[in-house]
Amino acid sequence: MANRLCLTLAAICLLATLALTNAYTHYRLPTAIQPDRYKLKVITHLENPANLTFNGQVSIRFNVLEDTNNITLHVQNLTVDESRIQLKSYADKKFRLCKESVDTVAEQDYYIIRLCQTLKKGEMYKLKLYFSGILSEKLHGYYRSSYVAKDTNETRWLSVTQFEPASARAAFPCFDEPNYKAKFIIWLGHHKSLTALSNMPLEKQMPVNGLPDFIWSVFEESVPMSTYLVAYTVNDFMYKESKVEGSDVVFRTWSRGGYIDQCDYAAEVGPNVLKYYEEVFGIPFPLKKVDEIAIPDFSAGAMENWGLITYRETALLFAPNVSSESNKQRIAEVIAHELAHQWFGNLVTMKWWTDLWLNEGFATYIASLGLKNLSPEWDSYNADSLDNSISIFRRDAQLSSHPISQPILNTSQIGERFDSISYKKGSAVLRMLHMLLGQDGFFEGVRDYLMKHKYGNAEQDDLWAAFTEKAHKFDRIEPKYDMKVIMDSWTLQTGYPLVKINRNYETGAIEITQHRYLENNSISDEEAKKCWWVPLSYTTPKELDFENTTPKVWMECDESGRSVPLKLENVAGPQEWIIFNLQLSGVYRVMYDFENWRLLNATLNSDKFNTIHVMNRAHLIDDVISFAWSGYHDYDITFDVLEYLTKEREYLPWKSALDGLSNVIRLLRPFPEQHDYFKTYLRYIIEPIYNHVDGLNHSLESSKSHSEILLKSLVTGWACRIELEDCVKSAVAYFQQWKLSKNPDDENQIPADLRPTVYCTAIRHGDKDDWQFLWQRYRASNVATEKRTIIVSLGCSRNEKVLRDYIDLTFDKAEYIRTQDVTFAFSSIARSEVGAPLARDYFAENLAALHNFFGPQSTDLGRLLSSISIQIISSEDFEKITQLIDANKEYFKKAEKSVQSAYETINFNIQWIGRNVQDMKSRLHDRLSLMGLLERVAVDA
């Protein structure tokens, strides 16, 4: 009886344990097991297009950190042979697997092996699993890609991985979280006619038993790394090899055979950038080789897998005389970004996706330094800094934004964190730190951080500890200050400050306050409590020192986290302006009182405008446009400042101005009279710079600088957009000349940097025959950057029937627009006045099909929604889109932030129109009348 009672109690205990285990749905893996090494063997079958599959086995050696009777790991869309599960103990040779059951938790992709025995703390075991799967049609996990060989017109298949953030589990059973670092030995089985690549160098090859014509490619054991960085591919590609003097690392740049001549630029950039990083970080690259490979179908721009970096073709391949100067810069930026990841992300990895910015923000900022070293003549550092700041000034001004470092409580939330906040705000905050700490302090801190955590994981507090030490060492902050306190204000709360400057011109006193900048110009009690530690740098006409970006004073937060107002005395005379935030070194906007704006405007609209640093001219323009956009002040102040642009000849202020004004012209488009007034005003502003860059012609000779070429591309694009007569005529003439050439695929005389403008303008003002001509050029082109330009340009048509057909073509996989590119085509259509309602209707009518097209792991549905939302300006259309999303919430699980942002954008559009449309009409009428430009409006209309 007693024995029976004990057995019953034991059974109850066992059932209770199983019940608890069954209920395990926490988004993070249990912590009882730590993998040490994977031996992964995968055989890939590409010989039958109707049955593209893989199968393999994985042996995982792991340590037990606490007693456990289950092994929980990740498996997604794989078939695991439960009858062949093996478990061995390194300590007990007599150990035999006693398996109770195998269960899955679909929501978290858990594969749980329950044991009727206990794995002992401190001991090491080996788990062996056999698995198989289908090469995915979606662009994640282990998936298929293809291309058509131009010489034979034959479809060639390849396989490739994309595991970040959580898709290694779709390729092999694993502990698929970033803090479970392990070594990997990878064997790839494939047909002997193909090539296999992985993270590490090839060690040997041997036949695959039982599979004629198949070989094993066996790779060296890897350094410890997270599962999301594991990579492998089977393909028939070619490569170009390169290295630089003083480095032992061999680069191979791979592409499909017909594109190999486009690899030269990437092959040159990679080794040079890597060598620079080795020097500034003081840590040699730990691998012997880097393979860079251009994949025909790839969801991201690129992926930093250690030793095998995968790219979209547009992000790696450069065709001289076809790819543009901006294409060239983009390729160099992406390569520099991915190579920076080899230290920030690969060598030192964030503990959890909460601190994704430690990967992406660092790689973005460090890449701008890598590019500055590679091509200092480009002035790309300032351009990147301005672009990052403007981008996050807009996104982070929305209530739907999020902190740089924000807890992620479910795997489904990770994908949306790969956004401008993690990348660009992370980069801007690091630039602010760099300017605060100086060159020595910043890089000493970086080196200490990397050395302390190499081959391990870190969180942002580890970074703040390193920077606090250096800030004190180099006397950059007072001993009582701590970088964690300062920087937490920038990374743990949403938004950024608006610093308000109020001057007393009689006493010389300046009062400085701060609050969160919001696009909708409303401050709730909760938002009003926010405070940032703001480094204030400033100068005046008397001092005129824009180079000293070290803060002269700090805006502080008190112990309760509230902002402490600041007062300065006798900094500037009553007739002198003051400018804060030198070279945009801090992540904040500055609002001056009306008199300071007047003084600034007087200088800007004089021949001394260029005594103000070009970055600050760009910042002033962005601020003054944004303040009117959000209702902080009226548009007359903005127009007064913008009129100085008739003298401006630098790229950055123009980039800032035209990016900001694009929102205004977009919302005025449905109101013909206001739209015509605004276009007339813009023509007045742009015509002098259009003439300065020689209009839309061939004057892009090699003597032109990089920034001059970018300026010409920007200005001519806008000149044609606002229908400056010379620009439209020139674009159409270029296009028609191209159409008449005997062999248009080989005889395109349109300068590469002007093609986006020429193509879009010609399609916008052309007919269906023009559209078909450009579509055929898309089909025939073998240059990825050119194909992207054409995809976007085809959406510029004003022919409703053509655009309807184009949307259908976009989502028809048989018509050669790859899945990775459909968002560009769709967004281009949605941006036009004719295409916007067509795109909106297509989205609503085909939502289920679109969700299926992209797959449940994709965030692309959110991208489509974003492109639609910026065009919605009526309450009726807003209600339709909210009803659609509410009725289909399951489709937007991966796009929650995109939905919130879309709703906020539409609300703001409606508010802006209500506040500004009539006001803009009277302001522009009066201004154009004073300028003698009203007659031009009548002629244009």
mmCIF file with all atom_site columns, all heavy atoms in Angstrom, residues 84-96:
data_model
loop_
_atom_site.group_PDB
_atom_site.id
_atom_site.type_symbol
_atom_site.label_atom_id
_atom_site.label_alt_id
_atom_site.label_comp_id
_atom_site.label_asym_id
_atom_site.label_entity_id
_atom_site.label_seq_id
_atom_site.pdbx_PDB_ins_code
_atom_site.Cartn_x
_atom_site.Cartn_y
_atom_site.Cartn_z
_atom_site.occupancy
_atom_site.B_iso_or_equiv
_atom_site.pdbx_formal_charge
_atom_site.auth_seq_id
_atom_site.auth_comp_id
_atom_site.auth_asym_id
_atom_site.auth_atom_id
_atom_site.pdbx_PDB_model_num
ATOM 1   N N   . ARG A 1 84 ? 14.971 8.560  -34.804 1.00 0.00 ? 84 ARG A N   1
ATOM 2   C CA  . ARG A 1 84 ? 16.440 8.523  -34.903 1.00 0.00 ? 84 ARG A CA  1
ATOM 3   C C   . ARG A 1 84 ? 17.116 9.521  -33.958 1.00 0.00 ? 84 ARG A C   1
ATOM 4   O O   . ARG A 1 84 ? 18.300 9.802  -34.098 1.00 0.00 ? 84 ARG A O   1
ATOM 5   C CB  . ARG A 1 84 ? 16.870 8.790  -36.343 1.00 0.00 ? 84 ARG A CB  1
ATOM 6   C CG  . ARG A 1 84 ? 16.332 7.759  -37.337 1.00 0.00 ? 84 ARG A CG  1
ATOM 7   C CD  . ARG A 1 84 ? 16.695 8.119  -38.764 1.00 0.00 ? 84 ARG A CD  1
ATOM 8   N NE  . ARG A 1 84 ? 18.126 7.926  -39.034 1.00 0.00 ? 84 ARG A NE  1
ATOM 9   C CZ  . ARG A 1 84 ? 18.728 8.302  -40.159 1.00 0.00 ? 84 ARG A CZ  1
ATOM 10  N NH1 . ARG A 1 84 ? 18.014 8.917  -41.119 1.00 0.00 ? 84 ARG A NH1 1
ATOM 11  N NH2 . ARG A 1 84 ? 20.013 8.091  -40.348 1.00 0.00 ? 84 ARG A NH2 1
ATOM 12  N N   . ILE A 1 85 ? 16.357 10.066 -33.016 1.00 0.00 ? 85 ILE A N   1
ATOM 13  C CA  . ILE A 1 85 ? 16.963 10.990 -32.050 1.00 0.00 ? 85 ILE A CA  1
ATOM 14  C C   . ILE A 1 85 ? 17.986 10.230 -31.201 1.00 0.00 ? 85 ILE A C   1
ATOM 15  O O   . ILE A 1 85 ? 17.719 9.147  -30.691 1.00 0.00 ? 85 ILE A O   1
ATOM 16  C CB  . ILE A 1 85 ? 15.881 11.619 -31.145 1.00 0.00 ? 85 ILE A CB  1
ATOM 17  C CG1 . ILE A 1 85 ? 14.934 12.500 -31.981 1.00 0.00 ? 85 ILE A CG1 1
ATOM 18  C CG2 . ILE A 1 85 ? 16.531 12.446 -30.028 1.00 0.00 ? 85 ILE A CG2 1
ATOM 19  C CD1 . ILE A 1 85 ? 13.767 13.061 -31.196 1.00 0.00 ? 85 ILE A CD1 1
ATOM 20  N N   . GLN A 1 86 ? 19.179 10.815 -31.082 1.00 0.00 ? 86 GLN A N   1
ATOM 21  C CA  . GLN A 1 86 ? 20.238 10.196 -30.274 1.00 0.00 ? 86 GLN A CA  1
ATOM 22  C C   . GLN A 1 86 ? 20.729 11.202 -29.236 1.00 0.00 ? 86 GLN A C   1
ATOM 23  O O   . GLN A 1 86 ? 20.840 12.389 -29.510 1.00 0.00 ? 86 GLN A O   1
ATOM 24  C CB  . GLN A 1 86 ? 21.417 9.770  -31.150 1.00 0.00 ? 86 GLN A CB  1
ATOM 25  C CG  . GLN A 1 86 ? 21.070 8.735  -32.214 1.00 0.00 ? 86 GLN A CG  1
ATOM 26  C CD  . GLN A 1 86 ? 22.245 8.458  -33.137 1.00 0.00 ? 86 GLN A CD  1
ATOM 27  O OE1 . GLN A 1 86 ? 23.406 8.641  -32.771 1.00 0.00 ? 86 GLN A OE1 1
ATOM 28  N NE2 . GLN A 1 86 ? 21.950 8.022  -34.360 1.00 0.00 ? 86 GLN A NE2 1
ATOM 29  N N   . LEU A 1 87 ? 21.020 10.675 -28.030 1.00 0.00 ? 87 LEU A N   1
ATOM 30  C CA  . LEU A 1 87 ? 21.561 11.506 -26.967 1.00 0.00 ? 87 LEU A CA  1
ATOM 31  C C   . LEU A 1 87 ? 22.649 10.720 -26.253 1.00 0.00 ? 87 LEU A C   1
ATOM 32  O O   . LEU A 1 87 ? 22.413 9.591  -25.803 1.00 0.00 ? 87 LEU A O   1
ATOM 33  C CB  . LEU A 1 87 ? 20.464 11.915 -25.980 1.00 0.00 ? 87 LEU A CB  1
ATOM 34  C CG  . LEU A 1 87 ? 20.887 12.854 -24.844 1.00 0.00 ? 87 LEU A CG  1
ATOM 35  C CD1 . LEU A 1 87 ? 21.330 14.210 -25.378 1.00 0.00 ? 87 LEU A CD1 1
ATOM 36  C CD2 . LEU A 1 87 ? 19.744 13.030 -23.848 1.00 0.00 ? 87 LEU A CD2 1
ATOM 37  N N   . LYS A 1 88 ? 23.849 11.286 -26.164 1.00 0.00 ? 88 LYS A N   1
ATOM 38  C CA  . LYS A 1 88 ? 24.968 10.598 -25.513 1.00 0.00 ? 88 LYS A CA  1
ATOM 39  C C   . LYS A 1 88 ? 25.555 11.480 -24.431 1.00 0.00 ? 88 LYS A C   1
ATOM 40  O O   . LYS A 1 88 ? 25.524 12.713 -24.520 1.00 0.00 ? 88 LYS A O   1
ATOM 41  C CB  . LYS A 1 88 ? 26.045 10.251 -26.547 1.00 0.00 ? 88 LYS A CB  1
ATOM 42  C CG  . LYS A 1 88 ? 25.599 9.220  -27.563 1.00 0.00 ? 88 LYS A CG  1
ATOM 43  C CD  . LYS A 1 88 ? 26.724 8.889  -28.537 1.00 0.00 ? 88 LYS A CD  1
ATOM 44  C CE  . LYS A 1 88 ? 26.258 7.844  -29.561 1.00 0.00 ? 88 LYS A CE  1
ATOM 45  N NZ  . LYS A 1 88 ? 27.335 7.514  -30.533 1.00 0.00 ? 88 LYS A NZ  1
ATOM 46  N N   . SER A 1 89 ? 26.109 10.846 -23.414 1.00 0.00 ? 89 SER A N   1
ATOM 47  C CA  . SER A 1 89 ? 26.783 11.547 -22.332 1.00 0.00 ? 89 SER A CA  1
ATOM 48  C C   . SER A 1 89 ? 28.288 11.378 -22.490 1.00 0.00 ? 89 SER A C   1
ATOM 49  O O   . SER A 1 89 ? 28.773 10.281 -22.760 1.00 0.00 ? 89 SER A O   1
ATOM 50  C CB  . SER A 1 89 ? 26.333 10.993 -20.980 1.00 0.00 ? 89 SER A CB  1
ATOM 51  O OG  . SER A 1 89 ? 27.169 11.478 -19.954 1.00 0.00 ? 89 SER A OG  1
ATOM 52  N N   . TYR A 1 90 ? 29.027 12.472 -22.309 1.00 0.00 ? 90 TYR A N   1
ATOM 53  C CA  . TYR A 1 90 ? 30.487 12.381 -22.359 1.00 0.00 ? 90 TYR A CA  1
ATOM 54  C C   . TYR A 1 90 ? 31.055 11.803 -21.061 1.00 0.00 ? 90 TYR A C   1
ATOM 55  O O   . TYR A 1 90 ? 32.148 11.258 -21.048 1.00 0.00 ? 90 TYR A O   1
ATOM 56  C CB  . TYR A 1 90 ? 31.092 13.771 -22.630 1.00 0.00 ? 90 TYR A CB  1
ATOM 57  C CG  . TYR A 1 90 ? 30.971 14.193 -24.062 1.00 0.00 ? 90 TYR A CG  1
ATOM 58  C CD1 . TYR A 1 90 ? 29.805 14.789 -24.544 1.00 0.00 ? 90 TYR A CD1 1
ATOM 59  C CD2 . TYR A 1 90 ? 32.005 13.999 -24.964 1.00 0.00 ? 90 TYR A CD2 1
ATOM 60  C CE1 . TYR A 1 90 ? 29.683 15.178 -25.869 1.00 0.00 ? 90 TYR A CE1 1
ATOM 61  C CE2 . TYR A 1 90 ? 31.891 14.382 -26.292 1.00 0.00 ? 90 TYR A CE2 1
ATOM 62  C CZ  . TYR A 1 90 ? 30.721 14.975 -26.744 1.00 0.00 ? 90 TYR A CZ  1
ATOM 63  O OH  . TYR A 1 90 ? 30.591 15.347 -28.064 1.00 0.00 ? 90 TYR A OH  1
ATOM 64  N N   . ALA A 1 91 ? 30.289 11.904 -19.967 1.00 0.00 ? 91 ALA A N   1
ATOM 65  C CA  . ALA A 1 91 ? 30.783 11.443 -18.671 1.00 0.00 ? 91 ALA A CA  1
ATOM 66  C C   . ALA A 1 91 ? 30.417 9.980  -18.413 1.00 0.00 ? 91 ALA A C   1
ATOM 67  O O   . ALA A 1 91 ? 31.160 9.255  -17.767 1.00 0.00 ? 91 ALA A O   1
ATOM 68  C CB  . ALA A 1 91 ? 30.217 12.317 -17.559 1.00 0.00 ? 91 ALA A CB  1
ATOM 69  N N   . ASP A 1 92 ? 29.256 9.566  -18.912 1.00 0.00 ? 92 ASP A N   1
ATOM 70  C CA  . ASP A 1 92 ? 28.759 8.218  -18.623 1.00 0.00 ? 92 ASP A CA  1
ATOM 71  C C   . ASP A 1 92 ? 28.620 7.438  -19.924 1.00 0.00 ? 92 ASP A C   1
ATOM 72  O O   . ASP A 1 92 ? 27.669 7.638  -20.679 1.00 0.00 ? 92 ASP A O   1
ATOM 73  C CB  . ASP A 1 92 ? 27.405 8.322  -17.900 1.00 0.00 ? 92 ASP A CB  1
ATOM 74  C CG  . ASP A 1 92 ? 26.828 6.961  -17.534 1.00 0.00 ? 92 ASP A CG  1
ATOM 75  O OD1 . ASP A 1 92 ? 27.478 5.934  -17.813 1.00 0.00 ? 92 ASP A OD1 1
ATOM 76  O OD2 . ASP A 1 92 ? 25.704 6.936  -16.979 1.00 0.00 ? 92 ASP A OD2 1
ATOM 77  N N   . LYS A 1 93 ? 29.557 6.537  -20.189 1.00 0.00 ? 93 LYS A N   1
ATOM 78  C CA  . LYS A 1 93 ? 29.545 5.783  -21.442 1.00 0.00 ? 93 LYS A CA  1
ATOM 79  C C   . LYS A 1 93 ? 28.348 4.837  -21.519 1.00 0.00 ? 93 LYS A C   1
ATOM 80  O O   . LYS A 1 93 ? 27.950 4.415  -22.602 1.00 0.00 ? 93 LYS A O   1
ATOM 81  C CB  . LYS A 1 93 ? 30.842 4.981  -21.592 1.00 0.00 ? 93 LYS A CB  1
ATOM 82  C CG  . LYS A 1 93 ? 32.115 5.842  -21.607 1.00 0.00 ? 93 LYS A CG  1
ATOM 83  C CD  . LYS A 1 93 ? 32.101 6.854  -22.734 1.00 0.00 ? 93 LYS A CD  1
ATOM 84  C CE  . LYS A 1 93 ? 33.373 7.696  -22.749 1.00 0.00 ? 93 LYS A CE  1
ATOM 85  N NZ  . LYS A 1 93 ? 33.329 8.755  -23.764 1.00 0.00 ? 93 LYS A NZ  1
ATOM 86  N N   . LYS A 1 94 ? 27.770 4.484  -20.367 1.00 0.00 ? 94 LYS A N   1
ATOM 87  C CA  . LYS A 1 94 ? 26.619 3.574  -20.351 1.00 0.00 ? 94 LYS A CA  1
ATOM 88  C C   . LYS A 1 94 ? 25.288 4.315  -20.498 1.00 0.00 ? 94 LYS A C   1
ATOM 89  O O   . LYS A 1 94 ? 24.220 3.696  -20.520 1.00 0.00 ? 94 LYS A O   1
ATOM 90  C CB  . LYS A 1 94 ? 26.604 2.784  -19.039 1.00 0.00 ? 94 LYS A CB  1
ATOM 91  C CG  . LYS A 1 94 ? 27.805 1.860  -18.872 1.00 0.00 ? 94 LYS A CG  1
ATOM 92  C CD  . LYS A 1 94 ? 27.728 1.112  -17.549 1.00 0.00 ? 94 LYS A CD  1
ATOM 93  C CE  . LYS A 1 94 ? 28.944 0.187  -17.388 1.00 0.00 ? 94 LYS A CE  1
ATOM 94  N NZ  . LYS A 1 94 ? 28.909 -0.531 -16.088 1.00 0.00 ? 94 LYS A NZ  1
ATOM 95  N N   . PHE A 1 95 ? 25.355 5.626  -20.589 1.00 0.00 ? 95 PHE A N   1
ATOM 96  C CA  . PHE A 1 95 ? 24.139 6.439  -20.696 1.00 0.00 ? 95 PHE A CA  1
ATOM 97  C C   . PHE A 1 95 ? 23.344 6.044  -21.946 1.00 0.00 ? 95 PHE A C   1
ATOM 98  O O   . PHE A 1 95 ? 23.892 5.910  -23.027 1.00 0.00 ? 95 PHE A O   1
ATOM 99  C CB  . PHE A 1 95 ? 24.528 7.918  -20.773 1.00 0.00 ? 95 PHE A CB  1
ATOM 100 C CG  . PHE A 1 95 ? 23.359 8.858  -20.917 1.00 0.00 ? 95 PHE A CG  1
ATOM 101 C CD1 . PHE A 1 95 ? 22.746 9.399  -19.795 1.00 0.00 ? 95 PHE A CD1 1
ATOM 102 C CD2 . PHE A 1 95 ? 22.869 9.213  -22.170 1.00 0.00 ? 95 PHE A CD2 1
ATOM 103 C CE1 . PHE A 1 95 ? 21.680 10.284 -19.920 1.00 0.00 ? 95 PHE A CE1 1
ATOM 104 C CE2 . PHE A 1 95 ? 21.804 10.084 -22.310 1.00 0.00 ? 95 PHE A CE2 1
ATOM 105 C CZ  . PHE A 1 95 ? 21.211 10.618 -21.171 1.00 0.00 ? 95 PHE A CZ  1
ATOM 106 N N   . ARG A 1 96 ? 22.043 5.830  -21.775 1.00 0.00 ? 96 ARG A N   1
ATOM 107 C CA  . ARG A 1 96 ? 21.151 5.516  -22.883 1.00 0.00 ? 96 ARG A CA  1
ATOM 108 C C   . ARG A 1 96 ? 19.971 6.478  -22.875 1.00 0.00 ? 96 ARG A C   1
ATOM 109 O O   . ARG A 1 96 ? 19.417 6.776  -21.805 1.00 0.00 ? 96 ARG A O   1
ATOM 110 C CB  . ARG A 1 96 ? 20.632 4.075  -22.786 1.00 0.00 ? 96 ARG A CB  1
ATOM 111 C CG  . ARG A 1 96 ? 21.710 3.013  -22.976 1.00 0.00 ? 96 ARG A CG  1
ATOM 112 C CD  . ARG A 1 96 ? 22.203 3.011  -24.431 1.00 0.00 ? 96 ARG A CD  1
ATOM 113 N NE  . ARG A 1 96 ? 23.258 2.027  -24.644 1.00 0.00 ? 96 ARG A NE  1
ATOM 114 C CZ  . ARG A 1 96 ? 24.566 2.278  -24.533 1.00 0.00 ? 96 ARG A CZ  1
ATOM 115 N NH1 . ARG A 1 96 ? 24.972 3.505  -24.204 1.00 0.00 ? 96 ARG A NH1 1
ATOM 116 N NH2 . ARG A 1 96 ? 25.460 1.334  -24.743 1.00 0.00 ? 96 ARG A NH2 1
#
